[in-house]
Amino acid sequence: MSRAEGQRERTESLAHRVPDLAALELLLAVARLGSLGAAAREVGITQPAASSRLRSMERQLGVALVDRSPRGSRLTDAGALVTDWARRVVEAAAAFDAGARALRDRRDSRLRVAASMTIAEYLLPGWLLALHAERPDTAVSLLAGNSAKVAELLLAGEADLGFVEGLNVPTGLDSTVIAHDRLIVVTAPGHPWARRRRPLTAAELASTPLILRERGSGTRQVLDAALGGLARPLIELSSTTAVKASAVSGAGPSVLSELAVGEELSLRRLVSIPVEGVPLRRALRAVWPTGHRPAGPARELLSLTRA
């Protein structure tokens, strides 16, 4: 071997110098069956494709591996030696595949979801039921909190997929919009606003103490942005259910997701109050750590939210 050839071998990657697994499996089949045609059928390719694959491997290694004749295919001395090495490589690859499969099975056996309150209470139950139908053996845990808490759980590695309702994607997360939602102003039927004949203005809404979600929640972010940070809390509560119950009791007006108050509106326990000049539409997003696209059950759940 010339000095230049030796240098080239040292600089080329192993992948360029070693035949791929498909070629090695074909060689093993030829050694076992004594026929290129039978080997081709076993590995699921045509005989011309098998001949081409074998010739390519011989060129790559620089030695003849198989003597072909009308009576069949016989390994050369070099071919017998290469076949012995190939068997060990394929066995190692099979062990590698079994290990990777075990890792996937372990990953797929559980799914940790973090979601902000409105999504956790009103959308996720349906999505998780659909996921259970697809993956009955996957154990799912759900952690509910505000959008800031969801980001914290994802970045700490304590959740595999998250859902948030705020205006912005938290730093360190990638996202995709899965749906849109609208916030509405609601009161108990006995509140003076329930008898109004004209919509509320932004100034009226900003000057009135409201039953609100805590800072850090997606609902609060949207309202603060819509009112220029001027929303006045009458009470701050950490769950949508608590805010809704307070509004139903007549404690005061509130701003809630349209998803959360459908039943209360239909039963007239709450009344929707029209508002003008206040943008209260928001995107609902799935989020995950930057660069770590959801896989396994997390990917399937993400696809179900889009369906």
Side-chain angles (χ1 to χ4, degrees), residues 165-167 181-185 200-203 205 218-229 255-256 274-283:
E165 309 155 9
L167 291 174
D181 181 30
R182 188 169 67 97
L183 301 182
I184 59 176
V185 178
L200 285 170
T201 65
L205 190 60
T219 300
R220 183 67 175 272
Q221 288 175 21
V222 173
L223 182 62
D224 282 344
L227 297 179
V255 179
L256 285 166
V275 184
E276 61 183 8
V278 182
L280 293 177
R281 183 173 167 82
R282 63 180 176 176

Side-chain angles (χ1 to χ4, degrees), residues 72-288:
S73 299
R74 183 180 62 83
L75 296 178
T76 65
D77 290 344
L81 188 57
V82 171
T83 298
D84 189 42
W85 298 337
R87 186 173 292 108
R88 282 179 267 170
V89 171
V90 170
E91 287 171 354
F96 181 95
D97 179 58
R101 207 164 43 240
L103 286 175
R104 287 195 301 272
D105 290 344
R106 186 169 69 182
R107 177 202 67 191
D108 294 353
S109 68
R110 67 169 187 171
L111 173 62
R112 300 167 302 168
V113 181
S116 50
M117 300 302 298
T118 300
I119 296 176
E121 292 181 80
Y122 300 101
L123 293 176
L124 258 173
W127 297 337
L128 293 180
L129 281 173
L131 180 67
H132 180 71
E134 298 285 335
R135 286 180 171 268
D137 296 328
T138 297
V140 180
S141 59
L142 172 60
L143 299 167
N146 61 34
S147 295
K149 182 63 175 179
V150 170
E152 179 185 316
L153 291 167
L154 286 166
L155 294 173
E158 296 175 19
D160 304 305
L161 184 65
F163 297 93
V164 296
E165 309 155 9
L167 291 174
N168 304 309
V169 179
T171 302
L173 302 181
D174 288 338
S175 73
T176 185
V177 174
I178 56 169
H180 288 88
D181 181 30
R182 188 169 67 97
L183 301 182
I184 59 176
V185 178
V186 292
T187 69
H191 191 276
W193 282 359
R195 297 186 293 276
R196 287 179 64 97
R197 296 184 177 275
R198 55 184 177 80
L200 285 170
T201 65
E204 287 175 306
L205 190 60
S207 64
T208 302
L210 303 170
I211 304 168
L212 298 174
R213 285 289 308 279
E214 79 286 6
R215 292 190 181 277
S217 71
T219 300
R220 183 67 175 272
Q221 288 175 21
V222 173
L223 182 62
D224 282 344
L227 297 179
L230 300 177
R232 295 178 56 194
L234 172 65
I235 314 170
E236 288 184 325
L237 299 169
S238 60
S239 79
T240 299
T241 300
V243 172
K244 184 167 59 174
S246 295
V248 168
S249 74
S254 183
V255 179
L256 285 166
S257 164
E258 198 169 32
L259 293 169
V261 294
E263 180 179 357
E264 286 73 20
L265 292 175
S266 65
L267 295 175
R268 292 285 297 174
R269 292 203 291 261
L270 288 174
V271 178
S272 176
I273 310 301
V275 184
E276 61 183 8
V278 182
L280 293 177
R281 183 173 167 82
R282 63 180 176 176
L284 306 182
R285 293 180 174 89
V287 290
W288 56 89

Side-chain angles (χ1 to χ4, degrees), residues 30 33-38 47 66-75:
V30 171
L33 300 171
S35 163
L36 185 61
Q47 184 164 335
V66 177
D67 283 331
R68 305 164 184 81
S69 73
R71 294 187 300 277
S73 299
R74 183 180 62 83
L75 296 178

